Amino acid sequence: MSGDQLVARLRSALGDKSVVTDADVLDAHRSDTATFCTAGVPLVLVRPGSTAEVQEVVLAAGEYGVPIVTQGARTGLSGAANAIDGCVLLSTARMNQILEVSVEDQVAVVQPGVINADLSRAVLERGLFYPPDPSSWEMSTVGGNIATNAGGLCCVKYGVTGDFVRGLEVVLASGEVVRTGRRSAKGVAGYDLTQVIVGSEGTLGIVTEATLALRPAPEAALTAAATFLSVEDGVAAAAAVMASGLRPSLLEFIDGVTARAIQNYRDMGLPENVGSLLMAQSDRGPRAAEDVAAIAEICTAHGAVDVAVASDAEESAMLLEARRLVHYALEPLGTTLIDDVAVPRSQLVALLHGIEAISKQYDVLIACPGHIGDGNMHPTVVFDRDDPAAEARALEAFGAVMDLGLSLGGTITGEHGVGKLKRQWLAQELGPVGLQLQRNVKAAFDPQGLLNPDKLFL
């Protein structure tokens, strides 16, 4: 009966419209977009509209010992927003206000349910720029981006979400509200609790407000795209670009498997024996044309068989089209299981060759596009989910890629998070002492273990 009592208390605190128990709605909100992550049956979905209402939810759930799973737009790829049996799903969708944009301080203050692209467009109207740009930016929320420390295409120059989070308002498991960080550009007093919470995937507290750093808006970017006949040439060209002193605002890689899938999906004029594609962009205004010309020269010197350089924003968008087609081109080939390893740039060739060997060993197709400028690649296992043997091989291949990334001095995730999908490898990456320290941090923030308790740690 405690479940009924909790729902009644939530209705009293939030109102009937903000508390949902309809089975079909609950089923639709059980999971994010990750593959192979189990999701439980939630007790209730709540949609608070303020920090005070989030506090009410946390206090009520704590009283009854019911876990809380916080959700944004559920575009994640690691199962971090997946329900637990009998849990409270807390959606931040109604908390979607941009509270302030300050030109003088170059900050924005937002609620967690703000869509990334909406924030980017709003600050652009004020001559400002919010750089984090995950591929899901038209759907994903700022709160979700903070939860996983999301990246994007422009990470090579600007960094990930956490690099732009100045401060947070967070409801703790106790129901108390804490403000971490600061509005000022500098500040080093005390432990950096802001960055502890960034990337914690809802396990330490519920973010209800964020103060985000902005940059002056750059001018329209220009793009160069190069085609190579081998993986090695494409990777070498990317390394040379990064070593040249140039700082592209985008440096993306598409391997031969993915490039051929794109060509089959839409004629992009790519040769049948394409080994890799490299796409670079500069947003340095008057110097952008000079930058992309220099990048084109580097690519030619490293064996590019075809190099195209845009002269304006429209041509730039056309050259980037291949990168935006990756997901659509791979989808017809089968079920996709997307990985997210990041390695030092010096290990990229070893990573790609290792992935090719894993593909042959487990008899599965593995495509490997990614953000080569910062070594964050997305090996994608493609298989027939109607074939149980193929599915089993795909899962083994996925794990082998994770092990490979770690063996090369890398990490199991550069931007997608750990969630449920990668818990076993987090322990491997952190080691026993590091893992225990992280468990201790979790216990300090959430003594009852009610905040997203089945994520990150096995």
Side-chain angles (χ1 to χ4, degrees), residues 3-364:
D4 292 338
Q5 292 170 341
L6 173 57
V7 170
R9 176 166 167 179
L10 292 171
R11 290 191 192 283
S12 175
L14 274 67
D16 288 344
K17 290 184 178 180
S18 297
V19 179
V20 182
T21 56
D22 180 88
D24 291 337
V25 176
L26 294 181
D27 185 63
H29 286 77
R30 290 174 61 213
S31 64
D32 62 15
T33 58
T35 312
F36 297 108
C37 290
T38 58
V41 179
L43 170 69
V44 62
L45 168 69
V46 296
R47 298 188 176 105
S50 67
T51 300
E53 289 189 347
V54 172
Q55 288 181 276
E56 291 285 352
V57 174
V58 171
L59 289 169
E63 182 179 327
Y64 290 94
V66 174
I68 300 173
V69 176
T70 304
Q71 297 183 331
R74 294 177 293 108
T75 58
L77 291 165
S78 67
N82 284 17
I84 304 165
D85 283 340
C87 75
V88 173
L89 290 180
L90 190 153
S91 169
T92 62
R94 288 181 57 218
M95 301 179 69
N96 60 359
Q97 299 300 305
I98 299 173
L99 303 174
E100 180 190 359
V101 176
S102 171
V103 175
E104 184 175 11
D105 290 336
Q106 292 191 350
V107 298
V109 181
V110 305
Q111 292 183 312
V114 171
I115 301 297
N116 183 298
D118 291 343
L119 172 62
S120 296
R121 284 189 280 264
V123 301
L124 186 60
E125 292 177 0
R126 305 290 298 277
L128 297 169
F129 175 42
Y130 179 62
D133 63 340
S135 296
S136 59
W137 77 312
E138 290 283 4
M139 300 176 288
S140 63
T141 63
V142 171
N145 296 166
I146 290 170
T148 60
N149 203 2
L153 300 185
C154 75
C155 284
V156 63
K157 181 174 181 178
Y158 294 105
V160 294
T161 297
D163 295 314
F164 293 86
V165 180
R166 293 266 183 88
L168 297 169
E169 179 186 82
V170 182
V171 176
L172 301 174
S174 63
E176 298 169 291
V177 176
V178 63
R179 284 190 170 271
T180 71
R182 55 203 56 83
R183 184 186 178 101
S184 57
K186 293 180 68 177
V188 295
Y191 297 131
D192 191 348
L193 295 181
T194 300
Q195 292 305 315
V196 170
I197 292 167
V198 171
S200 63
E201 303 183 36
T203 63
L204 301 182
I206 300 168
V207 173
T208 52
E209 187 181 293
T211 301
L212 306 172
L214 305 174
R215 298 280 186 87
E219 297 189 39
L222 294 180
T223 303
T227 305
F228 302 87
L229 297 183
S230 73
V231 163
E232 291 85 353
D233 287 347
V235 174
V241 169
M242 295 304 295
S244 69
L246 296 167
R247 277 296 172 262
S249 54
L250 175 151
L251 190 62
E252 293 292 300
F253 177 86
I254 294 177
D255 65 305
V257 171
T258 309
R260 287 186 287 276
I262 291 169
Q263 178 63 22
N264 290 334
Y265 181 79
R266 183 177 299 173
D267 186 1
M268 305 291 289
L270 301 176
E272 289 185 7
N273 59 343
V274 58
S276 57
L277 298 177
L278 193 65
M279 281 153 281
Q281 200 169 73
S282 172
D283 61 2
R284 292 207 303 160
R287 298 188 63 178
E290 178 185 329
D291 286 353
V292 293
I295 291 169
E297 289 181 7
I298 291 171
C299 290
T300 299
H302 284 80
V305 295
D306 184 47
V307 182
V309 178
S311 60
D312 57 32
E314 184 176 352
E315 287 185 4
S316 291
M318 290 176 60
L319 291 179
L320 278 178
E321 185 178 9
R323 179 64 180 90
R324 302 192 188 284
L325 288 176
V326 166
H327 174 75
Y328 303 102
L330 293 176
E331 203 171 44
L333 303 182
T335 299
T336 57
L337 182 54
I338 302 173
D339 213 325
D340 172 40
V341 297
V343 299
R345 286 197 296 265
S346 61
Q347 298 297 326
L348 282 165
V349 170
L351 175 71
L352 291 162
H353 281 324
I355 288 169
E356 184 178 5
I358 291 168
S359 175
K360 292 177 181 177
Q361 178 183 352
Y362 293 99
D363 189 25
V364 291

